[in-house]
C-alpha cells in the first residue's frame, strides 16, 4: 500500500500567513502540519508516499521534506498544477500508484488517533474504497455519507442542503486502483472541480463495496487561523514535556514544557505549560509565557505576556501588552508603542511584519 499526501492548496483562508509560504508548513506545536500526516503514514506501515504539489509553495515543501529519509519514508513528488478538485489530485497519482492500493490524506488535516484503524479495516475486507468519517454539528459544510448498520456506505453527497446524516468525510481515504476509472467517468461539479465524493459514488453505483470508519478523538482541518490555534492547543494538551535547553536559576517554570536544545528560559521569566519552545529561542526576564503557546525557532521574547498563541519563529517580541489567541508569522517584530492602549490583542500577522503596540 502507498500513500498520497495532498499539498497543493493555495491556503486562502490562512492569509496573510500563506502569502509567503504554503499552509502545509504552518507549524502546530512547532511541527509543520503535513509532518503529522507523514508520521501517520509511517505508523501505519506505509513508507512509499507521493506528495501532490501545486504551483504555490512547491519549492519550500520539497526543501523541507527532501527525499523523505529523515521521516523514515521514500517520497516522490507529483505536480498537480492548478487545484481542480480532490479527484483530480488523486488522478495525478495514477502512474505513481500503479496496481497498489493507496491512502489519500489531505495535507492540512491532523488526526488524534492516526490512520492505522482505517487501514486495518480496509485490509480486512474486500473493498475498493474506505473513508474516514466523524460526526459533525454542521454537515452541510462537508461531504456527507449515509451508512447502514454494518458501516457500509450507501450514498455520498457533497455539501448537501438536506444532509442524509451527520457523518462528514474528514479528508482521509483508502482506494484500490478502481478509483482511477471512476475519476475518468465523472464530470466537474457546480464548483468546477472533480469531486472525490462523486468518484466514490460512482464506485457505489457500480456495486463496489465501500468501507467506513468513524474516527474517535479529535480531528482538525487547519485551514483557518482559529483552527491552527485549536490544533496547537489539542496537541500541546498531550505533550509529555522534555527539557533539552537551559532553564536558568531564578526562572519560574511549571507544567509540561517542551524546551528544545539551544533554547533558554532566563532568570526572571515565568513559563506555565503546556508550551513548546523551539531551538535558539530566548525567553527573557520580565516575560510571562502562558499555557497553549508554541514559540518557533530563533525568537527573542522580552517583557511580554503571551498566552494561547503560535509564534512561527525568527521574531522579536518586546511589547508589554498581552498577546492572546494569536498567530504570528515568521520574521515579525512587535515592539512597544507610546501612549496608553487597552490590554489584550488578538493578532494574525504575516511574515516580515513590523508592529508597534
Amino acid at each position: 500500500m502507498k500513500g498520497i499526501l495532498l499539498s497543493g492548496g493555495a491556503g486562502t483562508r490562512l492569509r496573510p500567513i500563506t502569502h509567503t509560504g504554503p499552509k502545509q508548513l504552518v507549524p502546530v506545536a512547532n511541527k509543520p502540519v503535513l509532518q503529522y500526516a507523514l508520521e501517520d503514514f509511517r505508523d501505519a506501515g506505509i513508507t512509499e508516499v507521493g506528495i501532490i504539489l501545486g504551483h504555490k509553495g512547491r519549492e519550500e515543501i520539497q526543501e523541507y521534506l527532501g527525499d523523505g529519509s529523515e521521516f523514515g519514508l521514500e517520497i516522490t513528488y507529483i505536480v498537480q498544477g492548478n487545484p481542480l478538485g480532490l479527484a483530480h489530485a488523486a488522478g495525478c497519482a495514477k502512474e505513481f500508484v500503479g496496481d497498489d492500493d493507496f491512502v489519500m490524506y489531505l495535507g492540512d488535516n491532523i488526526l488524534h488517533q492516526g490512520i492505522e484503524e482505517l487501514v486495518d479495516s480496509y485490509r480486512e475486507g474486500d473493498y475498493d474504497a474506505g473513508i474516514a468519517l466523524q460526526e459533525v454539528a454542521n454537515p452541510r459544510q462537508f461531504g456527507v455519507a449515509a451508512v447502514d448498520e454494518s458501516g457500509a456506505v450507501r450514498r455520498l453527497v457533497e455539501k448537501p442542503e438536506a444532509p442524509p446524516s451527520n457523518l462528514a468525510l474528514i479528508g482521509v481515504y483508502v482506494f484500490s486502483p478502481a478509483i482511477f476509472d471512476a475519476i475518468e467517468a465523472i464530470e466537474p461539479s457546480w464548483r468546477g472541480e472533480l469531486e472525490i465524493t462523486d468518484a466514490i459514488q460512482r464506485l457505489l453505483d457500480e456495486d463496489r463495496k465501500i468501507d467506513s470508519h468513524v474516527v474517535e478523538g479529535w480531528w482538525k482541518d487547519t485551514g483557518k487561523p482559529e483552527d491552527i490555534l485549536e490544533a496547537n492547543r489539542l496537541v500541546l494538551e498531550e505533550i509529555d514535556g522534555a527539557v533539552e535547553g537551559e532553564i536558568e536559576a531564578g526562572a519560574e517554570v511549571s507544567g509540561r514544557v517542551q524546551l528544545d536544545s539551544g533554547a533558554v528560559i532566563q532568570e526572571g521569566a515565568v513559563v506555565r505549560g503546556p508550551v513548546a519552545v523551539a531551538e535558539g529561542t530566548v525567553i527573557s526576564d520580565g516575560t510571562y509565557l502562558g499555557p497553549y503557546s508554541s514559540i518557533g525557532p530563533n525568537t527573542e521574547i522580552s517583557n511580554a505576556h503571551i498566552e494561547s498563541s503560535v509564534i512561527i519563529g525568527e521574531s522579536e517580541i518586546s511589547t508589554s501588552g498581552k498577546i492572546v489567541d494569536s498567530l504570528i508569522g515568521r520574521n515579525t517584530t512587535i515592539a512597544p508603542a507610546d501612549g496608553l492602549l487597552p490590554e489584550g490583542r488578538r493578532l494574525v500577522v504575516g511574515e516580515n511584519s513590523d508592529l508597534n503596540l
Side-chain angles (χ1 to χ4, degrees), residues 8-78:
T12 54
R13 294 180 297 164
L14 264 175
R15 291 174 180 166
I17 299 296
T18 50
H19 275 311
T20 51
K23 63 179 180 178
Q24 295 84 6
L25 292 183
V26 174
V28 169
N30 287 337
K31 184 191 299 183
V33 168
L34 60 70
Q35 188 171 332
Y36 290 92
L38 293 176
E39 291 173 355
D40 285 347
F41 280 134
R42 183 191 61 206
D43 293 345
I46 299 169
T47 57
E48 293 183 72
V49 177
I51 308 290
I52 306 293
L53 300 172
H55 294 305
K56 185 176 179 61
R58 185 186 309 175
E59 295 80 8
E60 292 96 326
I61 291 173
Q62 289 179 283
E63 181 179 359
Y64 180 79
L65 297 179
D67 64 2
S69 57
E70 182 178 344
F71 309 96
L73 303 171
E74 180 183 335
I75 288 178
T76 298
Y77 295 101
I78 302 163

Side-chain angles (χ1 to χ4, degrees), residues 173-189:
Y173 314 83
V174 192
F175 293 121
S176 77
I179 194 65
F180 297 120
D181 289 336
I183 291 170
E184 291 178 2
I186 63 174
E187 298 292 334
S189 69

Side-chain angles (χ1 to χ4, degrees), residues 318-321 334-341 345 355-357:
S318 58
T319 179
S320 58
I334 303 178
D338 295 331
L340 296 176
L341 292 173
R345 286 96 173 183
L355 280 69
N356 293 307
L357 299 176

Side-chain angles (χ1 to χ4, degrees), residues 139-213:
R140 279 183 285 191
Q141 298 180 18
F142 299 89
V144 174
V147 302
D148 64 19
E149 293 181 357
S150 70
V153 180
R154 296 307 181 197
R155 183 164 64 98
L156 297 174
V157 58
E158 185 68 28
K159 296 181 174 60
E161 282 297 320
S165 77
N166 67 340
L167 293 172
L169 285 78
I170 64 172
V172 185
Y173 314 83
V174 192
F175 293 121
S176 77
I179 194 65
F180 297 120
D181 289 336
I183 291 170
E184 291 178 2
I186 63 174
E187 298 292 334
S189 69
W190 62 270
R191 300 193 302 171
E193 297 184 356
L194 292 175
E195 307 286 359
I196 198 65
T197 47
D198 290 344
I200 300 171
Q201 183 63 48
R202 178 81 182 191
L203 294 178
L204 286 171
D205 294 341
E206 296 172 353
D207 294 324
R208 295 180 182 268
K209 291 177 61 180
I210 311 298
D211 186 30
S212 71
H213 175 70

Side-chain angles (χ1 to χ4, degrees), residues 291-322:
Y292 305 112
S293 296
S294 294
I295 312 300
N298 305 313
T299 295
E300 296 183 13
I301 300 179
S302 59
N303 297 309
H305 182 129
I306 298 173
E307 293 184 52
S308 191
S309 295
V310 173
I311 315 299
I312 292 179
E314 298 171 10
S315 297
E316 295 182 12
I317 300 175
S318 58
T319 179
S320 58
K322 291 182 181 179

Side-chain angles (χ1 to χ4, degrees), residues 220-242:
K220 287 304 295 182
D221 169 3
T222 59
K224 296 181 288 187
E226 56 267 33
D227 298 323
I228 291 287
L229 295 175
E230 175 67 5
N232 188 68
R233 185 190 70 79
L234 291 167
V235 173
L236 288 179
E237 188 68 59
E238 299 189 357
I239 65 168
D240 294 327

